[in-house]
Every structure is written in C-alpha cells, then in structure tokens.
C-alpha cells in the first residue's frame, strides 16, 4: 500500500475570492423595456387631453386606432412570422359595421342618403341586423375573426407560408376594394359611408364627445397591449415563437402549427376590426381607400419602423409614422411622401430592428464593452 499525502485545507491566502458583481448598465441602456414603455405611454396618454387642442387630440386618437392594427400585425408578423399585408380588409369590415349602424340610426327608419341617391327603394336585407348597436360591435370583431379563421384554415393546412401567404392577403385586400366600389347602392361605392353626426345620442362634433372617444380608444389599446403581452408569456405564446423560428421542428414534436397560426391570425384580425369600428366615429368616414393594398402596406411599414419583434415597437411605429405623415404633409405639401419614405429608409438603415431595437442594441454594446474590459 502506498501512503497518501493528506491534503491541507486551503488557507485564507489561497482561498478563492468571489468577484464583485458587475456594475449596472447606464440609464440610457436600460430605457425601452416593456415596463418603461408602459409607464411613459400611460403618462403621455393621460396628459394628452390636458395638453392638446381638440383637433390634435382627434389626430392622436386616429393614430391610436392605427396602433391597434399595428399591435395585431406585430403579434402575427413579429411573433408568429406571418407577413400580413391585407389587414385593411379586417379594418374595413369593422369600420363598415359601425358605419352601417350610424347611418341607420341617423336615417331614423328611412333609407340612408346614399341609397336614395342610388335609386334603392327598399333597405337591403344585409343592412337590417346592423340597426342594433350590440350586433354591430360584435360583428366588428367576430366578423374579421371568422373570415381570418376560415382563410387560415384553408391556407395553413396546405402549408402555405412566407411570400405566398403575403401575396394571398394582398390579393384579398384588392378584391375587397373592387367589390365595395362596384356596389354603389349597398356600400356607398367609392365615397364609402360618411356624414355621421351622432353616436349613442352624443354629438360627434362636440369637443367633449371627441375627448371621450379618445379615452375609449386609449383604454382599448392599453387593454389589448397588456392582453397580448400576457398571451406571449403563456405556453401558447412560447409555442407561437417556436413556430416562427422552426415550424417543421414544432410539427415533429407533435404540435399542429396550422392551429397556432390560424388562432393568432384570427386574433390579429379581431384587433383590426375593433380598430376600424373605433376609427369611424373618431374620423367620421370609412371608404374603400382606407382598406386597400396601399394602406395595408403602410401599416406594415409602420410596424417595421417601430420594431416588429416588440409589441411596444409596433404601437410606437404606428404613432410615429402617423405623426410624421401629418407633420410632413403640413410643412411640405408637395414632397411629403418622399420625406416619409426617407424616414423609413433612415430608420431601417441605422436601426434594422426598428426604434424599439435601439434599446436592445445599446444594452448589447454595453455588455460587449464590459466583456472586453
């Protein structure tokens, strides 16, 4: 037997020393998180009615309606990987549902004005259910969700994805515009539905009514944002991101990606329909020009500017692009479209992940700097 040399315990001089925790990143690297965005957005939304005049407050309510659509696009595209460039269809369904109710309410049992001008003698059966405000509000959300669910079931079951799915949604938007324009006596044709004066007995032109509509839109946006965040934190949300990153792997694990994508697409469409229903009393019009291919593409561009991988970025992008469009058109009436395009190019060049990705980039730069040090 060989004797073993006993090991001596480590002396204080040779004992391992624990390194001090790294310093916290600076304040500019901690901005932009979900909690910070929620706090700043809540403060801004509460202060807006006190700081803005009625006209600007109405414009902000309009941008928030677009932000609701952008939130749905961020959920479907940024988190689910489905490039949806036909959300104007679902936005229009919700808008026309609310517009039909308002026209019937103002007609007081008679035909709406555009039907009289078009020579229609009896109210079409399609319009009759929209005399009820409850049915109109439910249809504004359930109608787009049903259409998106049907389309998703037919498309995703056949494993259509990527650019093919994007082109399909774009074709749906173009076909919807052609259908609405061609039915003058039923939909108002190119002019759409307009001349709304009352909502639930309140004058839509009154400043108090517009302020109340702004608060309703802001609350709806906040609730939907918190609900979408909670959805992403759930098991379904993790499965949705997994489908985006590796759909075939998720299928091999025993899950059905088609069901996940269809449900997400339907939720996104429901958000767009609700936004359209809120948009009509805020702006006072709904027409085919608001739900065609170009408006749908502009919403996708806005989400890309804000950051499609962040729900907060999708909302931010819709508001920023809406405000930029108003500012550029007021200051440069002849070339504001070029300035809007330049804004998109600059943001995508300097911040490929959008405005919301700037905070993440700052945190990564700080971490790499500390690692090198």
């Amino acid at each position: 037997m060989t004797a073993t040399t006993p090991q001596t315990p480590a002396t204080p001089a040779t004992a391992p020393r624990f390194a001090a925790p790294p310093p916290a990143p600076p304040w500019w690297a901690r901005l932009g998180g979900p909690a910070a965005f929620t706090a700043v957005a809540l403060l801004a939304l509460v202060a807006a009615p006190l700081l803005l005049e009625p006209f600007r407050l109405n414009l902000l309510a309009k941008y928030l309606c677009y932000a609701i659509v952008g939130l749905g696009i961020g959920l479907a595209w940024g988190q689910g990987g489905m490039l949806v460039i036909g959300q104007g269809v679902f936005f229009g369904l919700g808008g026309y549902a609310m517009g039909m109710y308002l026209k019937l309410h103002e007609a007081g049992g008679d035909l709406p004005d555009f039907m009289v001008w078009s020579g229609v003698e009896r109210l079409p059966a399609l319009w009759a259910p929209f005399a009820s405000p409850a049915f109109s509000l439910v249809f504004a959300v359930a109608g787009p969700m049903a259409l998106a669910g049907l389309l998703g079931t037919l498309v995703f079951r056949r494993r259509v994805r990527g650019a093919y799915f994007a082109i399909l949604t774009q074709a749906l938007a173009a076909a919807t515009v052609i259908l609405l324009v061609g039915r003058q006596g039923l939909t108002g044709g190119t002019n759409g539905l307009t001349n709304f004066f009352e909502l639930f007995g309140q004058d839509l032109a009154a400043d108090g009514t517009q302020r109340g509509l702004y608060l309703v839109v802001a609350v709806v946006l906040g609730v939907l944002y918190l609900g979408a965040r909670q959805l992403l934190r759930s098991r379904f949300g993790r499965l949705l991101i997994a489908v985006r990153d590796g759909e075939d792997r998720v299928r091999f694990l025993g899950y059905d990606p088609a069901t996940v994508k269809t449900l997400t697409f339907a939720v996104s469409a429901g958000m767009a329909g609700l936004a359209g229903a809120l948009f009509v009393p805020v702006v006072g019009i709904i027409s085919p020009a608001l739900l065609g291919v170009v408006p749908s593409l502009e919403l996708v561009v806005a989400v890309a500017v804000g950051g499609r991988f962040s729900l907060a970025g999708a909302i931010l992008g819709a508001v920023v692009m809406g405000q930029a469009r108003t500012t550029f058109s007021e200051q440069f009436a002849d070339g504001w479209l070029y300035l809007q395009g330049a804004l998109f190019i600059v943001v995508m060049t300097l911040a490929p992940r959008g405005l919301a990705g700037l905070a993440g980039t700052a945190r990564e730069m700080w971490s790499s700097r500390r690692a090198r040090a």
Side-chain angles (χ1 to χ4, degrees):
M1 296 181 59
T2 60
T4 58
T5 305
Q7 297 181 352
T8 58
T11 61
T14 60
R17 291 180 297 176
F18 294 97
W27 63 270
W28 49 264
R30 297 195 299 269
L31 293 178
F37 172 82
T38 303
V40 174
L42 180 61
L43 180 61
L45 293 177
V46 171
L50 304 176
L51 302 177
L52 298 178
E53 58 184 8
F55 174 72
R56 298 297 175 182
L57 187 65
N58 179 263
L59 286 178
L60 180 57
K62 175 183 175 181
Y63 304 152
L64 295 184
C65 291
Y66 289 143
I68 295 176
V69 185
L71 179 64
I73 295 176
L75 186 64
W77 181 30
Q79 310 300 325
M82 296 170 283
L83 179 56
V84 287
I85 54 179
Q87 292 297 92
V89 174
F90 310 119
F91 180 83
L93 283 177
Y96 270 90
M98 177 58 68
M100 291 164 72
Y101 160 72
L102 293 177
K103 296 300 291 185
L104 290 176
H105 175 72
E106 293 171 3
D110 298 330
L111 291 177
D113 49 7
F114 73 91
M115 290 187 181
V116 176
W117 303 334
S118 301
V120 178
E121 299 179 355
R122 294 183 57 185
L123 184 69
L126 178 64
W127 276 67
F130 292 94
S132 169
F135 177 85
S136 301
L137 289 174
V138 171
F139 182 86
V141 179
M145 292 185 70
L147 178 59
L150 176 61
L151 180 63
T153 301
L154 296 176
V155 171
F156 296 134
R157 293 292 178 186
R158 300 179 182 275
R159 302 185 183 182
V160 177
R161 53 188 175 183
Y164 299 101
F165 174 73
I167 294 174
L168 183 61
T169 58
Q170 188 177 29
L172 178 63
T176 303
V177 171
I178 295 174
L179 178 63
L180 292 175
V181 171
R183 302 302 301 272
Q184 172 72 34
L186 185 65
T187 64
T190 306
N191 297 325
L193 305 179
T194 184
N195 295 329
F196 307 122
F197 303 103
E198 288 188 359
L199 176 65
F200 303 134
Q202 302 296 320
D203 183 12
L204 283 176
D207 294 343
T209 303
Q210 289 298 321
R211 188 176 294 107
L213 286 173
Y214 163 78
L215 294 175
V216 170
V217 174
V219 170
V220 170
L221 175 60
V223 171
L224 291 177
Y225 170 70
L226 295 177
R229 281 189 58 191
Q230 189 64 31
L231 178 66
L232 292 180
R233 291 179 177 179
S234 65
R235 182 178 180 181
F236 180 86
R238 294 192 295 269
L239 185 60
L240 175 64
I241 296 176
V243 169
R244 178 197 67 187
D245 296 337
E247 181 175 339
D248 294 331
R249 294 184 179 183
V250 172
R251 184 178 294 107
F252 294 152
L253 292 175
Y255 295 98
D256 186 5
T259 302
V260 177
K261 296 170 71 173
T262 300
L263 291 176
T264 306
F265 186 40
V267 171
S268 174
M271 291 183 181
L274 181 57
L278 295 172
F279 179 88
V280 169
V282 169
V283 180
I285 186 175
I286 184 67
S287 69
L290 296 171
L291 52 108
V293 175
V294 174
S296 300
L297 286 173
E298 289 179 346
L299 289 170
V300 174
V301 169
V303 172
V305 168
R308 69 184 181 97
F309 295 109
S310 169
L311 297 178
I315 296 175
L316 179 63
V319 175
V320 167
M321 290 298 288
Q323 181 60 47
R325 180 174 184 174
T326 300
T327 303
F328 293 154
S329 61
E330 290 177 347
Q331 302 295 329
F332 309 97
D334 295 332
W336 65 271
L337 281 174
Y338 299 102
L339 294 176
Q340 189 178 22
L343 175 63
F344 170 70
I345 294 173
V346 169
V347 172
M348 290 294 97
T349 302
L350 301 180
R353 291 184 293 180
L355 297 176
L358 291 176
T361 302
R363 286 191 292 267
E364 292 175 0
M365 291 174 58
W366 174 260
S367 300
S368 69
R369 176 183 173 186
R370 294 298 304 173
R372 288 195 303 269

